[in-house]
Amino acid sequence: MRVRDLLAPGAPRLRLLAAEEELDRQVSGVMTTDLHDPGRYLHGGELVLTGMLWRSGPADSERFVRTLAAGGAVALAAGEAEVGPVPEDLVEACRRHRMPLLAVPDDIAFGTVTEFVGRQVSADRASDLAALVDRHRMLVSAAGGGGLDAVLDLLGGDLDLDCWVLAPTGAVIAGPADRLTADDRDQLVRTHLTAQRQRRRPPHRLRLASGTYSLLPAPAAPPAPAPPVPVPLADWMLVVAGDVTEWSAKRQQLAENLARLVAAERHRRDEGRRLRRGLADDLLALLRRDADPAEIGRTLEASAATAARHQGPGPAGPPGQGAWLVASAEGTGLPEGVVRAVLEEALDGGADRALVAGAGTGAVVVMPAPAGPVPAEALRELLAPLEAGLGPDGRITVGVSAPAREAAGLRGALEEARHARRIADARAGRVGVAGPEELASHVLLLAAVPDEVRRAFRGRLLDTVIAYDQEHQAELLRTLEAFLRSDGSWTRCAAQLHVHVNTLRYRIGRIEELTGRDLSRLEDRVDFYLALELG
């Protein structure tokens, strides 16, 4: 269809305000947006529908229309329902850029315009499979950008094609969740993250017992400052049943268009998080300067009110005076902003209630406490798939506090979470999580000791034992570990090692000769235990 068809009999009642000479432009689809800069989502040929919420002054009109013209949009339709009549500065900007401008009266819904264009375009290209996704993109735009499930349902119904959108933790963002097992999702996510880390060209393919799947990235906007190398840890992924490399060119275009649609939806969702990110950063600043609890409470109440608005009808979010947990996270070998984005995705489902503040290469989370135990173990399992995307030098460590029953306790909870994170950092593995229950053990003291001191302590006690084992294959170190686990019981330790008690006594005696320590003394047993823990 052409732009002039929007003014023909039978079309929605739109008014032409500018660029009458450009009405023969070909319209290929519709994009609904109120982003300040929608250029990255323009592919050329779009009729852009806008409520003008991006406009705060005349200069915004020039910048917005210039972006549309550069992106290949063919016309702009401005709705008058939200902010009133189309301003003259927008009319003038469209005249300068030869951009047809149409006014949408307040009694005409954007969905009506979208549906009209969809019918016209579909009639022109009914045989083109890629046009199906264009129609679905119109439907998503008309619904405010929240209809990924509807799009995937239509694809399944029209083309018998199963598709899913997964978070990097394996959570299902959209699609028929009951058709992918938890193990399948875990393997799909790990395969995708590994391939992205190795910078292999998509689509990535994986054959499972349930079938073959193609994996395409749906990247988010990069964190600021942007990393020099793409980091997929916080990106969504599109999973398509089948091997897309064996499809026809038109059907492959279908998958690529769908991935772009998912990326646009992800960006729209991230734009909606701006207010909560601002609240989170404000709260972190208040905690760092030990602000008045009443001021902290007001920020929590604002957070709960924002969550209630986003949740719509139904139970409200937790009140500002409820119980809260604090988590402190740090990334090693990762660009700034990545850990924050990772935690936002990991906590999605509670993302409208959790406040995730950025702090360089780390992040701080304040979230409502669950009714059950502190979720350190659950968070550890949730983040485990991310190991595949971290690489040999990348790590994420998280410490979780005990619940704080009121705003005045959040400052202490933050310190507790930081201490717990030091425990997680002292452990092996690329993803580490420690909870408040570990703050009462020796592990906290070990985490506070500098690395060089820990290495020296362990070396003084165990280096001679390790060297003897390497030369004689005597298994002294294994024997020492078993002896301490058996609380010094000769009988239980010998049974565990499947050796005679006299053999055990010989080995323990040899350890005492090599180290100058006495394993009948509690002090020496504690020293050996700590040295083994430091390994």
Side-chain angles (χ1 to χ4, degrees):
M1 66 170 291
R2 301 187 184 276
V3 175
R4 67 171 62 258
D5 295 333
L6 290 163
L7 302 170
R13 287 183 297 101
L14 309 183
R15 303 192 315 274
L16 179 65
L17 302 180
E20 181 177 1
E21 68 278 10
E22 299 293 336
L23 295 182
D24 283 329
R25 293 180 175 185
Q26 192 79 28
V27 178
S28 62
V30 177
M31 175 183 178
T32 302
T33 183
D34 275 306
L35 295 176
H36 286 79
D37 181 9
R40 73 183 70 186
Y41 302 116
L42 292 170
H43 304 292
E46 293 91 349
L47 166 68
V48 175
L49 289 171
T50 181
M52 298 185 289
L53 297 180
W54 45 264
R55 181 185 177 277
S56 58
D60 293 334
S61 295
E62 168 63 26
R63 181 168 54 252
F64 186 81
V65 176
R66 184 171 61 245
T67 299
L68 299 187
V74 295
L76 173 63
E80 299 178 322
E82 290 287 337
V83 299
V86 178
E88 188 59 28
D89 51 81
L90 181 57
V91 176
E92 287 300 322
C94 287
R95 285 173 180 158
R96 282 192 297 273
H97 291 278
R98 302 173 65 86
M99 176 68 63
L101 175 62
L102 305 166
V104 183
D106 57 7
D107 61 338
I108 300 294
F110 279 2
T112 300
V113 179
T114 299
E115 183 180 356
F116 176 81
V117 174
R119 287 199 305 268
Q120 300 298 315
V121 171
S122 296
D124 292 342
R125 303 184 297 171
S127 63
D128 189 351
L129 283 175
L132 181 62
V133 170
D134 289 340
R135 284 204 309 278
H136 296 160
R137 184 183 299 143
M138 297 174 201
L139 293 173
V140 172
S141 298
L148 279 180
D149 271 313
V151 173
L152 300 188
D153 285 346
L154 285 168
L155 281 173
D158 289 0
L159 297 178
D160 195 23
L161 177 62
D162 283 339
C163 301
W164 299 264
V165 179
L166 301 184
T169 58
V172 178
I173 305 295
D178 58 334
R179 298 185 193 174
L180 277 183
T181 67
D183 287 343
D184 283 352
R185 296 199 308 270
D186 184 77
Q187 292 186 63
L188 288 166
V189 166
R190 290 177 184 270
T191 298
H192 175 75
L193 289 173
T194 299
Q196 289 290 89
R197 174 172 55 81
Q198 296 172 350
R199 307 186 74 180
R200 301 205 301 265
R201 185 173 180 176
H204 317 304
R205 286 159 292 168
L206 179 63
R207 182 180 295 277
L208 300 174
S210 55
T212 299
Y213 299 90
S214 298
L215 317 174
L216 295 110
V229 176
V231 179
L233 290 173
D235 288 348
W236 290 353
M237 57 181 285
L238 173 64
V239 179
V240 181
D243 185 348
V244 301
T245 63
E246 298 176 353
W247 291 1
S248 66
K250 286 185 176 181
R251 200 172 174 94
Q252 288 182 21
Q253 184 65 43
L254 170 72
E256 293 169 6
N257 286 351
L258 184 56
R260 284 195 289 269
L261 183 151
V262 173
E265 167 65 7
R266 168 63 189 275
H267 181 74
R268 185 201 65 80
R269 201 280 313 276
D270 285 348
E271 287 288 316
R273 280 180 172 171
R274 283 188 176 183
L275 176 58
R276 295 196 58 74
R277 285 176 173 171
L279 288 171
D281 289 337
D282 290 345
L283 179 59
L284 180 57
L286 292 174
L287 295 178
R288 282 176 168 171
R289 64 180 175 86
D290 202 11
D292 188 312
E295 193 174 359
I296 295 173
R298 285 192 293 271
T299 302
L300 292 176
E301 288 170 0
S303 166
T306 301
R309 287 196 298 271
H310 287 165
Q311 288 168 355
Q321 298 300 319
W324 296 79
L325 297 177
V326 178
S328 175
E330 185 64 35
T332 303
L334 299 175
E336 292 187 9
V338 169
V339 172
R340 179 183 200 169
V342 164
L343 287 175
E344 284 180 331
E345 284 305 316
L347 297 172
D348 205 9
D352 283 342
R353 298 176 293 132
L355 291 171
V356 185
T361 57
V364 172
V365 183
V366 179
M367 55 188 170
V374 175
E377 183 60 35
L379 187 57
R380 184 183 295 112
E381 293 178 2
L382 192 63
L383 297 177
L386 299 177
E387 294 177 348
L390 284 169
D393 300 321
R395 292 193 77 208
I396 295 176
T397 52
V398 185
V400 183
S401 76
R405 297 298 171 185
E406 53 187 18
L410 282 179
R411 182 73 178 86
L414 176 58
E415 288 304 314
E416 189 175 63
R418 286 172 172 166
H419 285 302
R421 196 200 63 77
R422 289 166 65 186
I423 292 176
D425 190 51
R427 294 172 174 162
R430 295 177 186 171
V431 174
V433 182
E437 67 280 356
E438 300 176 77
L439 293 176
S441 77
H442 64 280
V443 180
L444 175 61
L445 299 177
L446 296 182
V449 177
D451 288 345
E452 59 273 16
V453 176
R454 288 192 281 170
R455 284 193 295 269
F457 178 79
R458 174 179 166 83
R460 281 196 298 272
L461 264 75
L462 299 180
D463 276 0
T464 55
V465 177
I466 293 171
Y468 189 88
D469 272 350
Q470 290 174 343
E471 183 176 353
H472 300 282
Q473 290 79 48
E475 295 192 337
L476 295 186
L477 194 65
R478 177 168 169 260
T479 300
L480 176 60
E481 291 173 338
F483 186 72
L484 295 175
R485 281 198 304 270
S486 303
D487 298 324
S489 169
W490 297 99
T491 304
R492 280 193 286 126
C493 183
Q496 181 182 335
L497 293 173
H498 305 290
V499 299
H500 194 274
V501 171
N502 289 340
T503 302
L504 176 61
R505 291 184 184 277
Y506 170 79
R507 290 182 183 179
I508 294 298
R510 195 73 185 117
I511 292 170
E512 291 175 334
E513 289 175 10
L514 290 169
T515 61
R517 298 296 186 108
D518 182 355
L519 277 164
S520 66
R521 297 177 69 245
L522 176 62
E523 295 89 341
D524 286 343
R525 288 188 187 182
V526 169
D527 283 349
F528 277 121
Y529 175 77
L530 294 177
L532 290 168
E533 285 289 292
L534 291 172

